[in-house]
Amino acid sequence: MMDQSKKNKITSDLLKPIGITKTFHIWMGFLTLSLAVCLYAYMFQLDKGLVVTGLRDYVSWGMYISNFVFFVATSLIGMLISAVLGLSGVKWASPLARIAEIIALAFAAVAGLVIVSDMGHPERLLNVFMYGRLQSPIVWDVTVVTVYVLISALLLYIPLIPDFKICHEKLVDIPKPLRNIYKLLSLNWKGTEDQEKLLKKSVWILSILIIPVALAIHTVTSWLFASTSRVGWDSTIFGPYFVTGAFVSGTAAVIIAMFFYRNSYKLQDYITELHFDKMGKLLVLVSLVYLYFNLNEFMVPGYKMKKFDATHLHALFAGRYAIMFWLVQIVGLILPILFLLFGKMRKPLPMTVIAVAVLLGAWFKRYIIVVPTMEHPYLPIQNVPMNFKFYTPTLIETFVSLAPFILVLMIITILSKVVPIIPIQETIEHHEESK
Amino acid sequence: MLKSNIKLTILFLLAIFSFSKINAQAWDVPADKKAKNSYIKFDENTAKEGEAIYTKNCVSCHGNPGKANNLKTLNPIPPDLGAAKTQALTDGELFYILNTGRGAMPSFKNTLSEEERWKTISYIRSFNKQYVQVVSKTDPTKSKLVKIKLDVDSLTNKIKVAVIANEIKGVVLLKDAEINMFVSRYFGKLQIGKTLRTDSVGCVLFDFPKNLPGDSIGNLEIVINVNDEIYGEIESINKVKIGVPTNKPSLTEKRAIWNVLKLAPWWIIITYTSILLGVGFILLLIIKNLFKIRKLGED
């Protein structure tokens, strides 16, 4: 049995981040201000419509849609870490499960909003529910994203129940109503064997359920593209291509979150160098798989260079998008794989820098998937002005695209201030087991 | 040597000629169309009404006449309509250009009524001090009097079109009126034969093709368009059983991916709903477990 003082130390260490500090005020103030700027930009769009963006009849899916794909992609990491690694009994991953779940929930919930930003008339979102056709991947996407948000929320909440109990007991300084919320959320947790069993079983069921749902959410997102006959999208491997890409950006996001949580909440004893090392190896693995899919996605049409594919691929390899394309592939994928093969690079700081490069690369990769294809239609519209043919996002569009990132940061920050981001109960149990 | 020089010169001239042709392609307007005149007398009021139509339909490309603010990114560039080159065209030519369009220049035949088209021309003419109008003899109020009769000879597949006007003073046969025959198809009208002119008894004879697919009993919608100097433009739509009976089920009749929700394929409906119900059931189970956990912890 572990001695009580050790237990107390774990509990107080992991509860310490909870509560409002001056840094929190400054950080949230900064985020709120930035969000206000973005919302101001959005007001223009609400007033004038999508004409304030660079979107025209040719390129009607631009930065907003690539942003959406990026958000859905990043949210997939919850499934990989808490479900796949959890179910296969990978012990080192369990302290990270909650961080992954928070990221999953934040990104998935915000993804829905990103889609709305692509609508000149946001109220027409209701039309999807009123007139949507079951045959349309758009309806499947709305369904599956909603289900994923629900399951992610449950997967975040249920393992938290014992910790809520601890929060209620230990956080005596916080206002009474807040403590009562913790009590309410802890569902009379006593840690009896029956409760324990029900909780484990529920988590187990959800962990299994979330795997097909998560695969579906990004496969369906890929079908939004692959089900149309267009150069660059007309591909049979788009589903797995998107899913593997999603693991890359999600893993990078978790690494960055780990770094900041660890440093600002002094969690060095709980998120250790071992965790970074393992996450680094995981990033190499998923990146290699993604690289393999990239090779297929570009090598096969690139070898044949069919007429329309050729226009598209030339723009990517040597034309208008060449710099972006090669930066994404080399700095965002190949170099990180090579660097992370070395143990020294899998230390917290260098790896976070690499993860930022990977995450940026992942964002621009979505841009490269969405925009150039729209610029290369099979049947070009005749006699259109130049600004129809080539898309450049406007400033307003860029600000509106930044808003979801700010929202995600807000959600992640606030959640980490109200729940322990490292599972307390589980950490104690692990220490007991390893004794 | 001399021969090749001549060849070169000819080539050179041809090149210049064809080049200049691309730059300013002439409008090949048939003589009768060229001579057509407006039945509306152009004055300040008609020009004013025309200006409103022009602002709505033309300004985006042609700019304001005389202001040189036309849309220069188009190819060919839409001319400034106040310029001498355009003003040198006859009213009939302007009317023809508006009707047919060319390249980027849209046809306004179906978007503006004849009256509106003439008023737009009235506005364009208001920028030309030297312009003197010739008003046509057409009286549009008389077009109501015109009757068009179709006579189908099912043996030879010929259609006789007779055009008369029921004037108070008696029946008038429309001689030398222009007749066009069309058949309505999915995406527009298919012209049958050439444009013909009525003979001395107000009749024309069209050879009708034997192989045009009609509806399930062979009905076709035949559109007759009459253009007469005095009575103006008249159109009549007739259902005639002269086509080949065809019974092709519409592509939206059966359940299909591209159909409306009500006609979605069964496999999609079943797959979608069963997955949704399955997931919903599991989620309910989880919620039930949460209630159980709460219950177990009660004192």
Side-chain angles (χ1 to χ4, degrees):
Chain A
M1 202 62 205
M2 185 168 34
D3 55 88
Q4 196 58 36
S5 68
K6 175 89 183 162
K7 233 181 196 172
N8 285 345
K9 181 173 169 3
I10 294 179
T11 313
S12 69
D13 276 355
L14 296 181
L15 280 181
K16 207 179 279 159
I18 296 184
I20 288 167
T21 58
K22 204 171 147 203
T23 346
F24 174 80
H25 275 301
I26 297 172
W27 173 234
M28 281 307 276
F30 166 71
L31 289 180
T32 314
L33 211 67
S34 321
L35 189 66
V37 173
C38 297
L39 286 182
Y40 181 68
Y42 183 63
M43 295 301 287
F44 280 99
Q45 183 178 316
L46 263 188
D47 182 34
K48 297 265 169 2
L50 287 178
V51 74
V52 300
T53 68
L55 300 168
R56 292 292 180 271
D57 290 21
Y58 253 67
V59 182
S60 49
W61 282 1
M63 204 192 233
Y64 292 154
I65 297 292
S66 30
N67 217 17
F68 167 74
V69 178
F70 175 80
F71 273 75
V72 175
T74 310
S75 78
L76 239 63
I77 191 62
M79 171 276 240
L80 182 66
I81 292 194
S82 61
V84 175
L85 296 187
L87 284 174
S88 43
V90 177
K91 283 268 170 341
W92 63 263
S94 65
L96 305 179
R98 192 161 292 158
I99 296 180
E101 228 29 87
I102 286 177
I103 287 189
L105 184 64
F107 275 88
V110 171
L113 281 181
V114 180
I115 273 291
V116 176
S117 72
D118 194 46
M119 307 174 75
H121 272 279
E123 77 280 3
R124 290 191 188 159
L125 183 69
L126 291 178
N127 289 5
V128 175
F129 302 99
M130 293 194 297
Y131 311 111
R133 298 176 326 123
L134 283 190
Q135 300 98 305
S136 160
I138 294 196
V139 168
W140 310 342
D141 210 46
V142 170
T143 316
V144 86
V145 169
T146 315
V147 171
Y148 187 72
V149 170
L150 277 178
I151 300 181
S152 294
L154 282 172
L155 257 182
L156 177 64
Y157 170 61
I158 296 179
L160 258 171
I161 294 173
D163 287 2
F164 278 137
K165 163 85 170 171
I166 296 174
C167 287
H168 169 67
E169 277 175 356
K170 301 276 148 123
L171 296 174
V172 280
D173 302 337
I174 60 169
K176 201 149 186 333
L178 281 181
R179 273 191 77 194
N180 284 342
I181 293 178
Y182 281 128
K183 185 172 161 58
L184 191 74
L185 288 172
S186 71
L187 301 181
N188 300 330
W189 182 258
K190 290 229 168 57
T192 66
E193 211 168 299
D194 287 341
Q195 281 185 324
E196 213 47 90
K197 234 162 107 189
L198 272 173
L199 185 131
K200 288 253 152 68
K201 200 171 124 198
S202 305
V203 171
W204 181 74
I205 295 174
L206 285 175
S207 303
I208 293 177
L209 181 64
I210 203 168
I211 295 175
V213 172
L215 288 177
I217 140 175
H218 219 36
T219 306
V220 170
T221 308
S222 86
W223 286 350
L224 295 178
F225 301 92
S227 60
T228 58
S229 176
R230 281 212 167 229
V231 288
W233 294 350
D234 190 5
S235 155
T236 56
I237 61 160
F238 240 44
Y241 177 51
F242 270 44
V243 170
T244 49
F247 291 152
V248 175
S249 66
T251 309
V254 168
I255 291 171
I256 297 169
M258 278 162 65
F259 180 80
F260 283 101
Y261 280 152
R262 179 181 196 243
N263 284 1
S264 36
Y265 297 157
K266 311 260 172 317
L267 296 172
Q268 279 84 351
D269 290 344
Y270 303 91
I271 305 176
T272 61
E273 299 220 337
L274 172 94
H275 290 115
F276 277 90
D277 186 64
K278 297 275 189 196
M279 285 300 284
K281 287 175 179 163
L282 182 67
L283 184 55
V284 172
L285 174 68
V286 291
S287 299
L288 277 174
V289 178
Y290 189 46
L291 184 64
Y292 167 70
F293 275 100
N294 267 283
L295 194 67
N296 276 278
E297 197 47 33
F298 292 106
M299 171 68 196
V300 173
Y303 190 85
K304 292 178 283 194
M305 279 291 181
K306 289 188 276 186
K307 187 174 160 203
F308 287 97
D309 287 346
T311 331
H312 179 64
L313 291 175
H314 275 302
L316 295 189
F317 295 167
R320 194 169 138 79
Y321 289 98
I323 294 177
M324 199 192 282
F325 180 82
W326 292 113
L327 273 180
V328 162
Q329 298 290 15
I330 295 172
V331 181
L333 197 57
I334 296 174
L335 288 183
I337 294 175
L338 292 178
F339 283 150
L340 289 177
L341 290 177
F342 299 96
K344 270 201 194 110
M345 286 292 172
R346 295 196 298 269
K347 300 277 176 243
L349 184 64
M351 202 163 87
T352 304
V353 174
I354 293 174
V356 169
V358 170
L359 200 69
L360 277 175
W363 191 90
F364 281 102
K365 181 63 193 273
R366 304 307 181 281
Y367 190 92
I368 280 177
I369 291 176
V370 174
V371 174
T373 290
M374 302 281 319
E375 286 180 1
H376 306 125
Y378 283 120
L379 257 183
I381 317 169
Q382 306 281 309
N383 304 309
V384 289
M386 228 29 191
N387 72 349
F388 274 41
K389 292 193 180 169
F390 298 104
Y391 164 80
T392 327
T394 60
L395 201 62
I396 290 184
E397 210 172 351
T398 314
F399 274 116
V400 176
S401 298
L402 277 176
F405 285 93
I406 299 169
L407 271 178
V408 160
L409 287 178
M410 283 176 143
I411 296 177
I412 292 180
T413 310
I414 292 174
L415 277 179
S416 73
K417 280 290 169 189
V418 294
V419 305
I421 48 166
I422 308 281
I424 301 177
Q425 186 66 31
E426 251 186 283
T427 312
I428 294 176
E429 278 169 24
H430 278 259
H431 273 276
E432 281 175 353
E433 276 168 28
S434 58
K435 272 267 156 89
Chain B
M1 198 61 206
L2 185 74
K3 230 180 183 176
S4 68
N5 257 347
I6 291 176
K7 258 191 196 161
L8 261 179
T9 318
I10 291 177
L11 262 178
F12 183 68
L13 284 177
L14 262 178
I16 287 183
F17 181 65
S18 56
F19 194 71
S20 60
K21 218 176 159 187
I22 288 170
N23 264 341
Q25 215 175 342
W27 293 89
D28 268 329
V29 182
D32 56 329
K33 296 265 157 71
K34 197 169 168 171
K36 192 176 168 80
N37 285 313
S38 164
Y39 62 85
I40 295 172
K41 172 97 186 69
F42 294 171
D43 56 23
E44 258 168 51
N45 288 331
T46 57
K48 206 155 179 198
E49 285 173 51
E51 181 175 6
I53 301 164
Y54 185 90
T55 312
K56 237 171 145 180
N57 297 286
C58 325
V59 121
S60 56
C61 292
H62 288 283
N64 304 95
K67 292 268 162 64
N69 55 349
N70 41 353
L71 190 66
K72 309 225 168 38
T73 48
L74 284 187
N75 181 22
I77 296 173
D80 181 332
L81 300 182
K85 189 182 141 261
T86 306
Q87 294 294 343
L89 299 166
T90 67
D91 288 352
E93 280 173 314
L94 291 176
F95 190 72
Y96 177 83
I97 292 169
L98 271 179
N99 282 344
T100 57
R102 182 167 76 194
M105 165 73 195
S107 153
F108 287 93
K109 196 164 178 168
N110 299 318
T111 43
L112 296 178
S113 70
E114 179 165 359
E115 192 184 322
E116 286 172 319
R117 275 172 269 155
W118 283 125
K119 282 180 177 163
T120 314
I121 293 171
S122 159
Y123 170 68
I124 295 173
R125 287 304 191 201
S126 69
F127 291 87
N128 183 352
K129 296 272 156 345
Q130 275 98 50
Y131 171 74
V132 188
Q133 194 192 4
V134 183
V135 183
S136 113
K137 287 180 286 182
T138 310
D139 180 355
T141 57
K142 285 181 132 188
S143 66
K144 287 190 220 68
L145 308 176
V146 175
K147 289 274 164 307
I148 301 170
K149 277 204 302 189
L150 262 63
D151 212 354
V152 182
D153 182 349
S154 45
L155 265 181
T156 55
N157 245 40
K158 282 188 199 297
I159 299 184
K160 191 168 103 178
V161 181
V163 194
I164 56 165
N166 291 313
E167 296 272 6
I168 307 163
K169 57 180 199 281
V171 171
V172 176
L173 307 171
L174 266 63
K175 291 172 208 155
D176 205 33
E178 204 182 273
I179 313 283
N180 286 300
M181 177 182 277
F182 304 93
V183 172
S184 302
R185 302 275 82 181
Y186 255 134
F187 297 110
K189 292 188 289 188
L190 171 74
Q191 184 162 18
I192 304 295
K194 288 207 181 99
T195 304
L196 299 177
R197 282 184 176 274
T198 48
D199 58 15
S200 55
V201 288
C203 289
V204 281
L205 202 62
F206 282 95
D207 267 327
F208 201 85
K210 293 200 165 130
N211 54 358
L212 278 189
D215 65 7
S216 54
I217 53 168
N219 273 335
L220 284 175
E221 197 177 271
I222 294 185
V223 180
I224 305 290
N225 178 282
V226 176
N227 218 321
D228 184 79
E229 268 247 76
I230 294 163
Y231 293 91
E233 206 175 322
I234 309 112
E235 201 168 84
S236 85
I237 298 172
N238 316 267
K239 213 163 209 157
V240 182
K241 204 168 152 182
I242 195 170
V244 181
T246 0
N247 205 352
K248 277 216 184 102
S250 148
L251 284 174
T252 50
E253 223 161 66
K254 290 196 187 142
R255 293 190 172 272
I257 293 262
W258 56 84
N259 222 325
V260 290
L261 176 59
K262 272 191 196 138
L263 290 172
W266 279 117
W267 67 266
I268 284 186
I269 299 179
I270 291 169
T271 316
Y272 181 89
T273 34
S274 50
I275 290 178
L276 211 59
L277 287 178
V279 172
F281 176 75
I282 297 176
L283 288 183
L284 282 181
L285 203 84
I286 301 288
I287 305 282
K288 204 180 118 212
N289 278 354
L290 293 181
F291 276 101
K292 262 199 217 156
I293 289 179
R294 212 171 99 127
K295 189 108 202 228
L296 282 171
E298 269 171 15
D299 299 309

